[in-house]
Amino acid sequence: MRRLPVEELTPEAFAPFGEVIAPGAAREVWSINAGSARRFHALARAEAVGEGGEVGISLFRAEPCALPISIAMLERHPLGSQAFVPLGPRPWLVVVAASPEATPRAFLAREGAGVNYRRGTWHHTLLALEATSDFLVVDRIGPGHNCDEATLAEPWELALD
Ligand SMILES: NC(=O)N[C@@H](O)C(=O)O
Ligand code: NI
């Protein structure tokens, strides 16, 4: 099976697909609450379009992937963005692509970093590692078709060291 390298997740590398949700990705940071906290402002924008669509907040509890990890499908959400933020410190994997025909890109998210998939971004479903992991998810809730799935012509194996 062809192997897909796994890159470090950075805002720059992920920019074609969406935003990284992590303090280091913030363009604007300011002190709030009388100096007792800092706001890492507008790391991403949640989008929900279409009749009856709203932005919702959910929790996903994901089982860890068995290794080796095969990438055989991608999906996209034409009516809304989708953000995943881990609620624990474990690393997790993000796989995105310009199209189901394009070579995907895989990223390792560490130290609590999350991502926001821009509306319509092709991505693999949630890939947790090591142990059952909880994620905060911000995406479109409401009626309508919001998930296109594609089976890849040939699967990829993630080249995790
Ligand atoms: N099914 C579901 O809500 N999750 C997927 O969209 C995903 O990207 O994990
Ligand atoms: Ni999704």
Side-chain angles (χ1 to χ4, degrees):
M1 191 182 302
R2 53 188 180 172
R3 285 169 63 82
L4 187 65
V6 180
E7 308 169 52
E8 278 301 318
L9 179 66
T10 68
E12 300 73 24
F14 195 69
F17 308 104
E19 298 82 19
V20 172
I21 300 172
R27 289 196 176 91
E28 295 180 84
V29 185
W30 63 79
S31 175
I32 57 173
N33 302 348
S36 67
R38 282 182 292 166
R39 180 181 174 118
F40 298 89
H41 182 62
L43 290 164
R45 282 170 173 74
E47 187 180 12
V49 301
E51 183 62 35
E54 299 175 276
V55 173
I57 299 175
S58 306
L59 289 175
F60 283 22
R61 178 161 289 167
E63 297 308 317
C65 298
L67 301 181
I69 299 173
S70 170
I71 302 298
M73 62 76 70
L74 295 172
E75 65 171 33
R76 66 177 174 185
H77 306 300
L79 298 181
S81 58
Q82 188 174 50
F84 291 89
V85 180
L87 299 182
R90 289 186 206 95
W92 63 291
L93 288 164
V94 175
V95 176
V96 288
S99 72
E101 296 72 32
T103 299
R105 292 181 68 182
F107 297 96
L108 184 66
R110 300 176 189 275
E111 297 167 0
V115 297
N116 180 57
Y117 299 125
R118 204 166 288 130
R119 178 163 69 95
T121 294
W122 286 99
H123 60 281
H124 194 278
T125 51
L126 182 55
L127 296 166
L129 293 172
E130 299 175 359
T132 303
S133 304
D134 287 353
F135 291 77
L136 182 76
V137 180
V138 180
D139 62 1
R140 182 188 186 273
I141 57 176
H145 171 81
N146 190 30
C147 189
D148 297 329
E149 293 189 356
T151 301
L152 303 187
E154 185 186 344
W156 295 85
E157 180 181 308
L158 293 189
L160 280 173
D161 301 333

